[in-house]
């Protein structure tokens, strides 16, 4: 488990807090900005959230862009 150098907070907790502050929906870009981690690490966290049932993936109705919806 790799923690953000600026904070000892669990990255998954930061991801969930970021989702909560965005109406429980995040794009990959929003997650990267919120967590201040490399894209690859954020993608891994998002996949982990999907596997653990914390989130599901969908597409934006208007743009078709991928969105991660969190059940929090």
């Amino acid at each position: 488990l790799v923690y953000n150098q600026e904070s000892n907070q669990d990255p998954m907790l930061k991801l969930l807090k970021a989702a909560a502050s965005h109406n429980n929906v995040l794009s990959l870009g929003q997650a990267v900005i919120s967590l201040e981690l490399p894209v690859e690490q954020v993608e891994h966290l998002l996949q982990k959230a999907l596997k653990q049932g914390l989130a599901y993936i969908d597409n934006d109705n208007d743009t078709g862009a991928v969105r991660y919806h969190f059940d929090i």
Side-chain angles (χ1 to χ4, degrees):
L1 186 62
V2 178
Y3 291 102
N4 187 330
Q5 294 173 356
E6 295 179 9
S7 168
N8 288 332
Q9 191 173 57
D10 175 13
M12 184 61 76
L13 180 58
K14 285 187 74 173
L15 178 63
L16 295 174
K17 286 182 176 182
S21 71
H22 288 90
N23 295 322
N24 299 341
V25 180
L26 289 173
S27 68
L28 175 59
Q30 288 170 321
V32 169
I33 290 168
S34 295
L35 274 64
E36 299 179 343
L37 295 171
V39 172
E40 296 80 13
Q41 190 172 349
V42 174
E43 286 176 329
H44 176 76
L45 282 169
L46 290 167
Q47 290 300 316
K48 186 175 178 182
L50 292 170
K51 288 179 186 175
Q52 292 178 339
L54 297 171
Y56 68 92
I57 198 167
D58 201 2
N59 295 89
D60 184 277
N61 289 334
D62 296 326
T63 66
V66 173
R67 297 288 182 254
Y68 296 86
H69 298 261
F70 289 80
D71 185 21
I72 50 176

